[in-house]
Amino acid sequence: LVNSEMLFVFAFQTGHTTGPSLNNDKLYKFAYSAEVYVDQVKASLQKSAGYRISSGVDVNLLWRNPENDDDQLVKITIKDVQVENVNERPADKNTFKGKSTEKIIGKEYLEALQRPIVIELVRGKVKTFYSYQNEPGFTQNIKRGLASLFQLQLHSGSSREVDISGKCNTTYHVRQDQVTKIKDLDSCETEKKIFTSHNRILDVSTKASSATVYVLEDSFFKSIKAEENFVFALNYRRKTGAKIVSKQRLELKSVQAGMGLIAAKQVAGVIKTLDPNYVAVPLEAEPVKSECKKCPSLSEHWQSIREHMHPDKLSKPEAAKSFLSFIQNIRKATKEEILKIIRSENKEFLPQVVDAVTSAQTEESLEAVLEFLDFKDASTFILQERFLYACGFASHPSETLLKSLTEKFKGDVANAEIRETFVIVMGALIRKLCDREGCKLPAVVEAKRLILNRLEKANKDDNVQMYLLALKNALLPEAIPVLLKYAESGEGPISSVAATALQRYDPSFLPKEVKETMNRIYHQTRKVHEKTVRTTAAAIILNSNPSYMEVKNILLSIGELPMEMNKYMLSMVQDILHFEMPSSKIIRQVLKDMRTHNYDRFSKTGSSSAYTGYITRGPDVTSTYGLDILYSGSGILRRSNMNIHVFDRNTELHAIQVVIEAQGLESIIAATPDEGEENLDSFAGMSAILFGFQLRPVTFFQGYGDLMSKMLSATGDPMNVVKGLVLLTDFFQEIQLQSGPTAHAEFMGGLAIDISGGMEFSLWYRESKTNVKNRVAMFISGNTEVDSFFVKTGMEATLETETSLDFISTVQFSQYPFLVCMQMDRVDSPFRAHMTKYEILPSGRRYTARRGKAATLAGNEYPLHQENSNMCKKVFGAKSDSAGSWF
């Protein structure tokens, strides 16, 4: 006797069949189940939300090609459908308790689900899928999922296969009577909607897997077990994540006598005999979406959240939460619905509406906001600026957006600052589109050409600076020679902007000409440069894999520089060593030479400093703060620079930079300017980078007359740099489960932000103070949902926090060395996290399980170097000593 296993091996080896083969006149009766689980990434499936569809499945052979045994027509019928919770629960938490299948699914859907399908199997692959034309998409997809299980090849190897998931790379591993099929879900060609955030740290990591194990007996299926896993995790907080698990099981229960084969030469004849209403339909899933019957209109939704969007409440997490929900609804709205809200709202709320409409990033929202805004009208400056900044922060900008901005920029723009903002934002969009391999798109090519050509023709400093700031955002390789030219030959702010633009490039992509130019600037081999530009040049050299001689020359220069620059460069080198930055190794080598490392060089006095420290060091991301401050020899601030960077294993995000620069202020205290800075105009201003996007700088005062006017009328109130709502994380992915249902994962992070800064002088107390305030509130939501026509099951995770970070530097210049105290303080920060699992029936019946936690992160004064701590004691000690005195 020859057993069935040997028959299978013999058939496989002789090439008699390359796929499963049904016996004639037999009815195969299977038990089928499809399960869906939704939960947190590391949670056990025993407590997940989800459901199970179970049924009987009858399978029989209708026809076999007389000329090819591997061409079979198979009829599949679903019977006795049951729906239940995927895990056992008490009766009061059982979503489906007491409801019949017909009641849960609906009579029409149940009848459609139990109508037979026919598949043509050729060499184990589904060549044609036959069903009924007008059948509901939901039930059709469940049948597609079942039919896809019947697709199998009986030899190891890889191929491209079409099934319910689309056209995917599939690998088979054959071992005796067991076959394992691995489907690469990332390779599937499908029309599913997906978008991601621009920066990886702000984005969501995804992982998808699919495996099916077949056990064969008598050349046909004994059992099939399939499992798909989809995992989503927020990169900057991996605890905020979710998983979807989809399982299918088909088990043979019995083989009975069945109908005989239909006699025909062609498949068409069999189908016509069986039922002329059958039509061939694609095996790939069709898009389906359940309608929301009780969802509010866009106007109704806006009215429900409007109070949280008041300007006075923008620093609260509720504002960020409302902002995100508004974006979600705008994405479903028409242009007319959006315009209705914009046109009816008052000036207090309009900026927030513009933030949300622009951040929605749909064709309809862009058309609506562009139709509303009139750039020829300077009176709507605030709305125009908020629109442009929202464009700059766009998570997944389109070519259409860049094209629209370019056309508007070429037209009539009434306000000069808006015109400057236009081109700065265009630079940011160029970079984002290029990062997504869109550098050759016509709109990108046109915008690059416009910026570079107009920079070449610009003759006013303001225009030159505007285009350089655009290049600072764009980070184009072809812009490097232009930036080098302006860094070395430009004057004052122009040279500084060009140098800081080069500082933003990845050092590994910079050609050798950059370091050559930076060395000339730092060592002033061709012309005298300002301290701010020279120190930026030194930072670029030390951050770009410097050579032994480059480091040695920089260290030998310390002691020959202006006094405060000496101290600043010394502090920069010590910070690199203290923080173990990449160039610390070569610096330590150079310091072994006593000509370089001696007491005279490393004991220079002064008040300028540079310091880097950790804000957080976590398993997902690490964040650092950097504070550096450079003074003139007379004790007047030249530049203060606060940076916050966020890192993971592979990526860096420049989260915040706030720079306050001042020059030409020595005349206020009758001091002597430093060498090379004798003819500088009085100026003070602030520049900011937020999440990698350089904003338009703001000016505190320009010129001596403006300075005196501001000093005499000063209120001490800080000047706003940016205020608004920013879409930080924006991830959406549609998923087609092999078992039939559709799913989606949506993660959004909203930031309500207010950054302001100011500079105060007291001639009486001979004191100056700079203050940078960063107030932020964040709300993050992640919703992962499986949508079947009869139930929605999913999980929502939310996270909210608010905080304020202040950077204050106080300078007393009544003596030398003058007293400088720097402070970086964070207030108490409340933190709340919630997780909800749910199942919802169309009738409104639901199951929910909630969990949450709340905590307060204690406020903190971030430590700087010990020298600063000693100085602060003197500054505030001196203040308290004089507090009770009249003189």
Side-chain angles (χ1 to χ4, degrees):
L1 290 174
V2 181
N3 65 28
S4 59
E5 184 178 313
M6 290 179 65
L7 277 172
F8 165 68
V9 173
F10 173 76
F12 168 61
Q13 288 176 340
T14 58
H16 172 70
T17 177
T18 53
S21 179
L22 287 81
N23 290 326
N24 300 352
D25 310 327
K26 297 293 182 184
L27 176 65
Y28 297 82
K29 298 188 81 67
F30 289 89
Y32 175 66
S33 67
E35 300 172 345
V36 169
Y37 303 80
V38 184
D39 211 328
Q40 291 176 293
V41 176
K42 293 186 178 180
S44 163
L45 295 182
Q46 276 71 38
K47 293 185 179 180
S48 300
Y51 62 88
R52 177 188 298 115
I53 298 177
S54 54
S55 71
V57 172
D58 288 355
V59 180
N60 65 288
L61 184 66
L62 295 174
W63 173 84
R64 192 190 303 277
N65 190 333
E67 298 174 1
N68 179 8
D69 283 355
D70 274 336
D71 187 356
Q72 307 166 92
L73 207 59
V74 180
K75 180 182 175 185
I76 303 171
T77 308
I78 295 174
K79 308 176 80 173
D80 307 322
V81 180
Q82 300 291 324
V83 181
E84 57 191 335
N85 287 122
V86 75
N87 291 310
E88 284 191 26
R89 291 201 203 117
D92 60 330
K93 294 183 179 179
N94 191 324
T95 318
F96 306 106
K97 181 75 174 175
K99 284 181 174 275
S100 66
T101 305
E102 185 176 302
K103 199 89 171 171
I104 295 167
I105 293 180
K107 186 177 180 182
E108 178 192 344
Y109 285 112
L110 185 58
E111 287 175 357
L113 191 57
Q114 297 184 147
R115 281 198 285 268
I117 55 169
V118 177
I119 57 172
E120 183 184 5
L121 283 175
V122 179
R123 291 185 293 277
K125 305 297 173 75
V126 178
K127 181 183 177 184
T128 319
F129 175 74
Y130 294 96
S131 189
Y132 294 94
Q133 183 106 43
N134 298 318
E135 189 162 306
F138 286 112
T139 57
Q140 197 80 287
N141 282 347
I142 288 176
K143 293 178 184 181
R144 287 182 169 105
L146 177 58
S148 294
L149 290 180
F150 283 73
Q151 190 152 255
L152 176 71
Q153 74 179 36
L154 297 180
H155 61 274
S156 296
S158 300
S159 62
R160 294 280 289 168
E161 278 187 5
V162 175
D163 67 3
I164 185 171
S165 306
K167 192 171 186 179
C168 313
N169 292 338
T170 308
T171 304
Y172 287 90
H173 301 282
V174 178
R175 185 182 177 188
Q176 295 184 340
D177 61 351
Q178 183 171 302
V179 181
T180 302
K181 177 166 71 173
I182 306 294
K183 184 162 55 178
D184 180 2
L185 294 171
D186 292 331
S187 72
C188 296
E189 292 176 16
T190 179
E191 296 298 314
K192 293 299 171 191
K193 183 178 174 185
I194 181 169
F195 50 76
T196 59
S197 300
H198 173 252
N199 186 281
R200 186 183 178 279
I201 288 174
L202 300 175
D203 204 17
V204 173
S205 291
T206 63
K207 191 175 181 181
S209 63
S210 171
T212 307
V213 178
Y214 296 84
V215 177
L216 298 161
E217 185 177 80
D218 193 20
S219 76
F220 197 50
F221 306 121
K222 182 181 179 183
S223 69
I224 305 173
K225 294 178 183 177
E227 182 172 322
E228 287 181 307
N229 286 272
F230 299 88
V231 176
F232 307 91
L234 202 58
N235 286 338
Y236 52 94
R237 190 177 189 271
R238 291 187 173 272
K239 284 184 181 178
T240 305
K243 68 179 174 187
I244 299 172
V245 180
S246 171
K247 296 184 178 183
Q248 291 171 280
R249 183 188 291 255
L250 190 69
E251 281 194 82
L252 182 64
K253 293 299 181 184
S254 65
V255 181
Q256 302 175 5
M259 291 171 53
L261 301 186
I262 298 172
K265 289 186 178 181
Q266 302 290 334
V267 171
V270 181
I271 295 296
K272 191 173 181 181
T273 302
L274 190 65
D275 188 340
N277 292 319
Y278 273 125
V279 292
V281 294
L283 186 58
E284 185 179 342
E286 62 184 279
V288 288
K289 198 166 186 180
S290 56
E291 291 183 13
C292 186
K293 294 176 182 176
K294 297 179 181 178
C295 288
S297 67
L298 185 64
S299 294
E300 289 169 340
H301 177 77
W302 168 243
Q303 289 305 317
S304 70
I305 63 166
R306 186 175 181 270
E307 64 173 298
H308 302 300
M309 304 285 267
H310 191 278
D312 294 342
K313 297 182 179 179
L314 282 192
S315 58
K316 297 294 178 185
E318 196 64 43
K321 179 182 179 181
S322 301
F323 171 63
L324 296 182
S325 66
F326 194 30
I327 289 172
Q328 289 173 320
N329 279 272
I330 291 169
R331 285 177 170 166
K332 303 169 192 169
T334 63
K335 173 185 167 183
E336 289 69 29
E337 289 174 313
I338 298 167
L339 275 171
K340 182 182 175 184
I341 290 177
I342 296 175
R343 286 172 174 158
S344 64
E345 203 40 88
N346 65 39
K347 65 180 182 180
E348 273 191 319
F349 290 91
L350 256 179
Q352 290 75 262
V353 173
V354 169
D355 285 342
V357 170
T358 311
S359 299
Q361 299 171 73
T362 64
E363 287 183 21
E364 291 80 3
S365 64
L366 179 60
E367 287 175 11
V369 74
L370 286 176
E371 185 173 314
F372 174 74
L373 292 174
D374 180 7
F375 294 98
K376 297 173 187 175
D377 180 5
S379 66
T380 57
F381 168 84
I382 293 293
L383 299 180
Q384 294 171 28
E385 184 181 56
R386 292 283 276 264
F387 161 71
L388 289 169
Y389 279 162
C391 291
F393 290 118
S395 54
H396 51 279
S398 64
E399 184 187 10
T400 306
L401 175 60
L402 179 57
K403 186 178 179 181
S404 301
L405 294 193
T406 306
E407 288 172 357
K408 293 288 182 185
F409 176 73
K410 287 178 179 177
D412 189 3
V413 179
N415 185 285
E417 290 181 345
I418 291 298
R419 186 168 180 76
E420 183 181 357
T421 310
F422 253 112
V423 77
I424 292 171
V425 170
M426 284 162 59
L429 296 181
I430 288 169
R431 180 187 175 197
K432 289 183 178 182
L433 288 166
C434 283
D435 284 349
R436 293 176 186 260
E437 300 181 352
C439 247
K440 294 182 180 178
L441 292 170
V444 177
V445 173
E446 168 63 18
K448 286 196 290 187
R449 189 188 300 121
L450 182 146
I451 292 168
L452 290 168
N453 287 351
R454 294 205 179 184
L455 174 58
E456 192 178 339
K457 295 172 185 174
N459 42 34
K460 287 185 180 178
D461 281 357
D462 287 350
N463 286 342
V464 171
Q465 183 169 319
M466 173 172 85
Y467 293 113
L468 287 176
L469 286 166
L471 294 178
K472 188 175 179 179
N473 272 330
L475 298 181
L476 299 170
E478 60 263 44
I480 290 173
V482 180
L483 293 170
L484 287 174
K485 182 185 86 171
Y486 282 102
E488 189 167 22
S489 61
E491 298 295 331
I494 299 299
S495 178
S496 182
V497 170
T500 55
L502 288 163
Q503 197 174 14
R504 294 195 67 198
Y505 281 82
D506 184 331
S508 61
F509 292 113
L510 292 175
K512 63 179 181 10
E513 289 81 7
V514 173
K515 280 208 289 182
E516 289 170 359
T517 305
M518 294 302 112
N519 275 292
R520 288 197 301 269
I521 290 172
Y522 178 74
H523 295 292
Q524 302 190 116
T525 53
R526 289 187 179 174
K527 62 173 282 192
V528 174
H529 293 275
E530 291 180 32
K531 291 194 295 290
T532 51
V533 181
R534 293 180 70 191
T535 52
T536 301
I540 292 171
I541 295 165
L542 293 172
N543 195 39
S544 304
N545 191 23
S547 67
Y548 184 92
M549 284 310 297
E550 283 173 331
V551 172
K552 185 173 182 177
N553 287 335
I554 286 175
L555 291 177
L556 287 173
S557 73
I558 298 174
E560 312 300 325
L561 304 168
M563 190 176 294
E564 282 298 324
M565 189 174 167
N566 270 330
K567 180 63 177 174
Y568 181 86
M569 288 304 302
L570 183 61
S571 190
M572 181 195 289
V573 170
Q574 289 170 335
D575 190 45
I576 291 170
L577 294 172
H578 154 77
F579 210 68
E580 295 290 342
M581 294 180 193
S583 57
S584 59
K585 191 173 180 181
I586 190 75
I587 291 174
R588 290 186 200 282
Q589 287 181 23
V590 175
L591 289 175
K592 290 177 182 177
D593 180 354
M594 293 310 295
R595 286 173 299 176
T596 309
H597 189 193
N598 59 60
Y599 178 78
D600 179 61
R601 197 177 312 284
F602 278 76
S603 62
K604 298 299 178 185
T605 58
S607 300
S608 299
S609 65
Y611 185 81
T612 304
Y614 286 105
I615 297 176
T616 58
R617 300 176 80 171
D620 304 322
V621 293
T622 295
S623 56
T624 64
Y625 65 92
L627 291 174
D628 62 75
I629 194 158
L630 176 64
Y631 294 97
S632 68
S634 56
I636 299 290
L637 174 78
R638 281 296 272 118
R639 182 184 66 207
S640 78
N641 189 349
M642 181 192 79
N643 287 282
I644 296 176
H645 287 84
V646 184
F647 304 86
D648 67 6
R649 291 182 184 87
N650 307 302
T651 316
E652 174 188 348
L653 172 65
H654 197 171
I656 294 176
Q657 180 188 71
V658 181
V659 180
I660 294 180
E661 287 201 60
Q663 64 179 40
L665 305 185
E666 284 75 14
S667 57
I668 303 172
I669 57 171
T672 304
D674 291 348
E675 180 192 359
E677 299 183 356
E678 297 87 354
N679 300 317
L680 294 178
D681 286 339
S682 298
F683 165 83
M686 184 159 66
S687 171
I689 291 174
L690 191 58
F691 301 107
F693 169 40
Q694 169 71 56
L695 307 178
R696 176 178 51 78
V698 297
T699 300
F700 297 150
F701 54 80
Q702 179 87 51
Y704 187 77
D706 189 26
L707 164 62
M708 297 312 294
S709 169
K710 295 278 172 63
M711 284 182 66
L712 293 171
S713 61
T715 62
D717 294 334
M719 180 179 284
N720 185 260
V721 181
V722 61
K723 183 176 185 176
L725 296 155
V726 178
L727 182 58
L728 204 60
T729 294
D730 191 15
F731 173 90
F732 183 88
Q733 183 176 341
E734 285 182 344
I735 305 150
Q736 178 59 57
L737 300 183
Q738 185 173 284
S739 56
T742 56
H744 74 261
E746 183 174 29
F747 287 77
M748 298 180 81
L751 196 70
I753 192 159
D754 185 351
I755 297 179
S756 57
M759 229 178 147
E760 297 175 42
F761 288 94
S762 170
L763 295 177
W764 182 262
Y765 291 107
R766 296 180 74 80
E767 180 180 278
S768 73
K769 181 181 282 189
T770 59
N771 189 349
V772 177
K773 285 183 171 290
N774 301 274
R775 290 195 303 161
V776 295
M778 179 187 277
F779 185 87
I780 299 164
S781 71
N783 188 24
T784 308
E785 183 177 271
V786 178
D787 184 2
S788 299
F789 58 94
F790 60 90
V791 62
K792 287 185 178 181
T793 183
M795 190 194 86
E796 183 176 32
T798 64
L799 176 71
E800 61 183 81
T801 187
E802 59 185 290
T803 192
S804 178
L805 191 67
D806 292 352
F807 167 49
I808 305 162
S809 65
T810 306
V811 185
Q812 291 182 352
F813 43 84
S814 55
Q815 62 186 56
Y816 192 88
F818 39 86
L819 300 178
V820 179
C821 172
M822 292 191 295
Q823 298 162 278
M824 185 169 163
D825 300 338
R826 178 178 50 74
V827 300
D828 288 355
S829 307
F831 168 93
R832 291 175 288 275
H834 295 92
M835 185 275 295
T836 305
K837 291 183 280 191
Y838 61 87
E839 295 156 9
I840 305 172
L841 300 182
S843 63
R845 187 171 177 177
R846 64 173 59 209
Y847 158 78
T848 54
R850 292 187 177 90
R851 208 170 71 204
K853 69 173 182 177
T856 298
L857 195 62
N860 188 25
E861 182 169 339
Y862 290 97
L864 301 176
H865 41 80
Q866 186 60 45
E867 193 176 324
N868 181 70
S869 301
N870 297 338
M871 196 84 79
C872 287
K873 289 175 185 175
K874 290 182 182 179
V875 168
F876 292 109
K879 282 191 173 183
S880 60
D881 290 344
S882 61
S885 171
W886 287 99
F887 304 101

